[in-house]
Amino acid sequence: MNTKYDILIVGGGAAGFFTAINIVEKNPKLKVAILERGKEVLSKVKISGGGRCNVTHACFVPNDLVKFYPRGEKELRGPFHQFCSGDTIEWFEKHGVELKIEDDGRMFPVSNSSQTIVDCFITATQKLGIDILTGQSVQSIFKASTYWKVETSQETFSCQKLIMTSGSNPKIWEMLQEIGHTIIPPVPSLFTFNIKDKRIKDLMGVSALATVKVKNSKLEASGPLLITHWGMSGPGILRLSAWGARELSDKKYQFAIDVNWLNELTFDEAEEKLKELKLEHSKKAVSKKSPFDFANRLWESLVLASEISEETKWADLSKKQLQNLAYQLTKGTFQVNGKSTFKEEFVTAGGIDLKEINFKTMESKLHPNLYFAGEIVNIDAITGGFNFQNAWTGGFIISQTFV
């Protein structure tokens, strides 16, 4: 049996639904189907953002927005000028979903539930007559002279245009490789650092604004750093993991980092500041109160690591102790032994080589009438709604080519 459609979309996730809805809203006569390999659609949307769905980010200038993408910064500049975060807000409002901005710029549905986004997509596809076919695990993709043939575990389909929104699916990547596309091998992009070190033991939940550098590397990131029971996390660490995804994979996640708990202060500046504190607080115990903008517990741990006892007063600090403390504050070295996935958000760097995609249309440069959107391509971003924004933008641009 060969079922014919004008357009087939492989992948029942965010990018697939968004693309389908936009296409049929502009071209109601087109026969469109979404093929999903599992029993459920939009499962990743449902768990995203802790079940709230971080739809996009309140960054409305394309040239600023692209800076959140370690891979795809250059390629997304043009697409974001066509469909950016503000357009996403307007699109969802038109479809009955109001979004809100949180203090850190992340945007969620006002309902605080990802089910709102799932319901929005399901309702729209039903209203537009888009077929949602589940349990359709794709087995092969074949390009005939004027159409595409897609064989699944259940049946065979043919279509004029084929849109791939299947995310980080190795099986699909392999099929695309067989028809000539280059696949950049996937590696984890957002992850936290596993560190066992007595300086941060029992400090779970403590955070500080810090700068972290990977030793023997150009990798460096600043931002809030959170101490966890397994090591270090927080926006600063996640940023470092995203930009260093491939390099840290090559190191097999065994490397050393220098942490500057004073963020922008240098070793020399920290030493001078400590000399001033020595004069100001001469009769007070060094370990008792943090003179910097981070928790007392962390300060006390760094003081003890500098070979300064709990009772030692500021006036009694030797030059060596003072230098030790300046060192611990600005360039203390921590050994990373492995990584952990950040919450439930498993993001990968890798996918279809960006050189093989026309970013004005999201069409393959190798095969006419083959399109890509979402995480199937070698684009990824830090956490905060940016990966979804890439999916919305790609889907919108594809829909414009069918007008």
Side-chain angles (χ1 to χ4, degrees):
M1 180 181 166
N2 186 356
T3 309
K4 293 183 179 179
Y5 283 94
D6 296 310
I7 298 167
L8 273 179
I9 298 174
V10 175
F17 271 77
F18 193 81
T19 306
I21 293 164
N22 278 282
I23 288 171
V24 180
E25 282 182 342
K26 291 180 177 68
N27 306 271
K29 292 178 182 177
L30 288 176
K31 192 180 179 189
V32 177
I34 296 171
L35 302 182
E36 166 56 41
R37 62 178 170 164
K39 291 180 181 177
E40 292 186 6
V41 292
L42 299 164
S43 52
K44 197 171 179 182
V45 172
K46 198 162 187 175
I47 63 167
S48 69
R52 295 199 298 147
C53 189
N54 186 181
V55 176
T56 187
H57 201 92
C59 179
F60 305 111
V61 180
N63 289 350
D64 294 336
L65 186 59
V66 293
K67 291 183 172 63
F68 293 96
Y69 296 81
R71 282 146 293 273
E73 178 180 346
K74 183 180 66 152
E75 290 81 5
L76 286 173
R77 192 168 274 110
F80 282 159
H81 275 91
Q82 286 191 62
F83 193 88
C84 203
S85 310
D87 302 301
T88 298
I89 297 166
E90 187 181 347
W91 190 94
F92 278 100
E93 280 182 357
K94 278 184 181 174
H95 291 80
V97 179
E98 193 180 344
L99 303 180
K100 60 174 181 175
I101 304 173
E102 303 211 331
D103 291 343
D104 58 4
R106 292 181 302 160
M107 298 197 70
F108 294 89
V110 168
S111 66
N112 267 333
S113 172
S114 57
Q115 191 61 45
T116 303
I117 306 299
V118 172
D119 292 344
C120 167
F121 286 160
I122 297 292
T123 301
T125 50
Q126 289 173 343
K127 182 182 171 186
L128 295 165
I130 296 164
D131 290 345
I132 303 169
L133 308 175
T134 56
Q136 301 282 350
S137 177
V138 174
Q139 304 299 307
S140 70
I141 296 166
F142 174 74
K143 177 72 193 294
S145 55
T146 58
Y147 64 92
W148 286 92
K149 190 167 87 170
V150 177
E151 288 183 342
T152 75
S153 51
Q154 292 193 31
E155 56 189 297
T156 300
F157 299 89
S158 62
C159 60
Q160 297 299 313
K161 297 178 188 288
L162 179 61
I163 302 168
M164 309 299 294
T165 60
S166 47
S168 305
N169 184 331
K171 192 175 165 187
I172 297 291
W173 277 333
E174 200 174 302
M175 290 177 209
L176 292 168
Q177 210 163 13
E178 285 170 8
I179 61 169
H181 271 289
T182 305
I183 305 300
I184 307 299
V187 295
S189 175
L190 281 183
F191 51 87
T192 60
F193 295 174
N194 294 350
I195 299 169
K196 284 188 177 177
D197 192 292
K198 64 181 181 182
R199 286 168 292 178
I200 58 171
K201 193 184 175 195
D202 302 325
L203 295 184
M204 187 177 73
V206 169
S207 65
L209 195 62
T211 297
V212 183
K213 295 179 181 178
V214 175
K215 275 188 171 297
N216 305 314
S217 165
K218 292 179 180 177
L219 290 172
E220 178 180 334
S222 297
L225 184 157
L226 175 68
I227 298 172
T228 66
H229 64 270
W230 64 84
M232 293 181 183
S233 184
I237 295 294
L238 293 172
R239 181 176 286 272
L240 198 62
S241 77
W243 263 264
R246 207 153 289 282
E247 188 176 331
L248 300 180
S249 170
D250 291 343
K251 293 177 184 289
K252 295 184 167 48
Y253 309 106
Q254 305 290 320
F255 55 93
I257 57 171
D258 285 344
V259 178
N260 184 342
W261 300 101
L262 304 182
N263 201 23
E264 293 178 354
L265 287 189
T266 64
F267 172 85
D268 291 339
E269 289 168 338
E271 191 178 7
E272 285 305 309
K273 179 65 178 171
L274 292 174
K275 286 176 182 175
E276 290 172 17
L277 290 166
K278 184 177 178 179
L279 293 172
E280 284 176 33
H281 304 294
S282 57
K283 294 180 181 179
K284 294 179 181 176
V286 179
S287 66
K288 291 306 173 198
K289 191 173 188 306
S290 171
F292 299 105
D293 193 21
F294 57 75
N296 288 335
R297 286 193 297 151
L298 176 58
W299 167 253
E300 185 179 354
S301 178
L302 296 175
V303 168
L304 294 175
S306 306
E307 298 177 1
I308 301 167
S309 70
E310 284 184 30
E311 296 78 24
T312 303
K313 292 185 168 51
W314 280 98
D316 299 328
L317 278 183
S318 68
K319 183 181 179 182
K320 185 172 185 294
Q321 286 175 316
L322 198 129
Q323 287 178 334
N324 283 350
L325 185 52
Y327 180 87
Q328 289 293 342
L329 286 166
T330 59
K331 45 187 178 182
T333 300
F334 293 81
Q335 184 61 42
V336 177
N337 293 301
K339 60 173 177 57
S340 294
T341 302
F342 176 64
K343 295 184 179 175
E344 74 287 341
E345 300 184 26
F346 187 73
V347 177
T348 57
I352 296 158
D353 193 330
L354 304 184
K355 296 188 194 77
E356 298 173 357
I357 300 167
N358 177 355
F359 278 86
K360 289 180 180 175
T361 59
M362 303 307 291
E363 187 175 18
S364 163
K365 288 181 179 178
L366 309 186
H367 300 286
N369 299 323
L370 175 63
Y371 300 82
F372 306 108
E375 289 180 27
I376 190 169
V377 303
N378 185 27
I379 288 177
D380 61 285
I382 60 170
T383 185
F386 303 105
N387 285 300
F388 272 136
Q389 183 57 51
N390 170 46
W392 313 142
T393 297
F396 176 82
I397 288 173
I398 291 171
S399 73
Q400 295 300 292
T401 66
F402 303 146
V403 173

